[in-house]
């Protein structure tokens, strides 16, 4: 057997409380559920990954339960005994046999990259081509739905020097109230902060056309996924007519989607999410498509915990241009953590570790406390 063969894979569902309910157009989060992936190798190296989605099946085709089941039943038999040091070969083996399941694939790829980084004594960013920055500006989502509360929260974040980019989740309410809410917040913050909106596909094209014009003329910097991901022609029309740039998020569920959106001029900005592309390496392929097409980049999140957040960050710090910054605030939404040391947010930025792998370690006691299944479910090489 290879010295770096994959000996076991364990998936652990972890439920963590959040600081407040987090409202999206299609769902309100009351807590966050992570799927933690532990890949143990014959040379004693362990790689850690994370697969996290939002709202069960309200957002996409994968849920924490399906991610765990599919990794245990379908991914593990393909990976056990394979060379963990050849990340490319391992992921291609999965691609040949398993369609979609990008969230699960992202967690596996993250774990393999973490193991490889530890093996070679290198940060994951160096395995991905080499970092060109050490920290990333991070946006904060204002999602209470109450204008005064959101303004007060934004002012607090500015005072703490934690965030000066704010995204507002709208689309669930009546459009005129949503617009008034956003414009009032932008007026209160002025030039001290960038204000963006995320509609999560909630509008039809006619509503979006009017709303985008109003938002753009009132200083809103970016409008994320205003209409259905399936209406790429409508996205292109909006992108051509809106005073504020249109960003594609749900429209990108794989690298091929990014190519088609770029070809059709359906967005001026792409939200990069490792979970929706299938891993840190895959998201960089989407970034390359965007860069070739002159499309701006934004480092997105699925509100991952610390593991998934750092996996994204290690990919994003390698990008030549990241004009629209990131929203890697997922760990800040949680009241509890399963890492030995929290991520470092300082002076409006997330600082990315230079230590081997992802640069983190698990707090085993807290992991044991918050895991849903209290007994090990590792799948071992026969």
């Amino acid at each position: 057997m290879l010295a770096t063969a994959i000996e076991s894979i364990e998936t652990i569902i972890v439920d963590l409380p959040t600081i407040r309910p987090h409202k999206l157009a299609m769902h309100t989060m009351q807590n966050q559920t992570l799927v933690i992936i532990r890949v143990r190798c014959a040379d004693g190296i362990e790689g850690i990954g994370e697969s996290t989605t939002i709202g069960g099946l309200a957002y996409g085709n994968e849920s924490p339960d399906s991610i765990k089941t599919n990794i245990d039943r379908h991914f593990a038999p393909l990976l056990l005994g394979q060379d963990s040091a050849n990340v490319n070969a391992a992921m291609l083996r999965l691609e040949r046999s398993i369609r979609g399941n990008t969230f699960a694939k992202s967690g596996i790829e993250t774990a393999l990259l973490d193991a490889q980084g530890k093996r070679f004594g290198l940060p994951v960013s160096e395995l991905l081509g080499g970092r060109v920055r050490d920290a990333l500006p991070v946006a904060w989502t204002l999602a209470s739905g109450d204008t005064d509360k959101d303004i007060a929260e934004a002012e607090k974040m500015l005072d703490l020097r934690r965030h000066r980019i704010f995204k507002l989740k709208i689309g669930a309410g009546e459009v005129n109230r949503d617009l008034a809410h956003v414009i009032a917040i932008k007026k209160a913050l002025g030039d001290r902060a960038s204000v963006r909106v995320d509609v999560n596909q909630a509008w039809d094209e006619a509503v979006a056309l009017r709303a985008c014009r109003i938002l753009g003329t009132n200083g809103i910097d970016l409008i994320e996924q205003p209409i259905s991901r399936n209406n790429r022609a409508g996205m292109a029309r909006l992108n051509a007519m809106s005073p504020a740039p249109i960003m594609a998020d749900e429209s990108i569920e794989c690298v091929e989607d990014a190519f088609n959106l770029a070809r059709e001029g359906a967005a001026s900005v792409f939200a990069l999410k490792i979970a929706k592309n299938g891993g840190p390496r895959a998201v960089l392929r989407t970034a390359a498509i965007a860069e070739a097409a002159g499309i701006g980049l934004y480092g997105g999140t699925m509100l991952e915990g610390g593991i998934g957040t750092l996996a994204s960050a290690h990919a994003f710090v390698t990008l030549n241009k990241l004009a629209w910054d990131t929203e890697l605030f997922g760990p800040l939404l949680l009241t509890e953590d399963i890492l030995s040391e929290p991520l470092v947010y300082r002076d409006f930025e997330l600082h990315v570790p230079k230590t081997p792998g992802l640069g983190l370690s698990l707090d085993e006691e807290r992991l044991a406390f918050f895991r849903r299944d209290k007994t090990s479910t590792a799948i071992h090489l026969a």
Side-chain angles (χ1 to χ4, degrees), residues 119-148:
R119 185 173 291 120
F120 292 148
L122 293 172
V124 166
S125 57
E126 306 316 294
L127 301 179
L128 297 174
R131 66 177 63 196
V132 296
R133 55 181 68 82
D134 291 323
L136 298 163
V138 176
W140 179 252
T141 294
L142 302 170
S144 76
D146 182 286
T147 303
D148 291 337

Side-chain angles (χ1 to χ4, degrees), residues 273-329:
K273 294 184 176 179
I274 63 170
K276 292 172 58 180
N277 285 261
R281 296 181 319 130
V283 86
L284 294 179
R285 294 197 290 274
T286 288
I289 291 168
E291 187 172 12
I295 293 168
L297 297 175
Y298 178 75
T301 181
M302 289 305 301
L303 300 178
E304 292 98 341
I307 301 165
T309 295
L310 280 184
S312 298
H314 277 282
F316 297 160
V317 294
T318 71
L319 294 170
N320 178 37
K321 296 179 181 178
L322 196 61
W324 293 92
D325 303 312
T326 79
E327 59 175 24
L328 297 178
F329 68 92

Side-chain angles (χ1 to χ4, degrees), residues 198-219:
D198 184 2
V199 191
N200 288 125
Q201 310 182 80
W203 293 336
D204 62 35
E205 188 176 341
V207 169
L209 180 59
R210 181 177 74 88
C212 289
R213 284 174 173 162
I214 293 170
L215 291 169
T217 56
N218 279 277

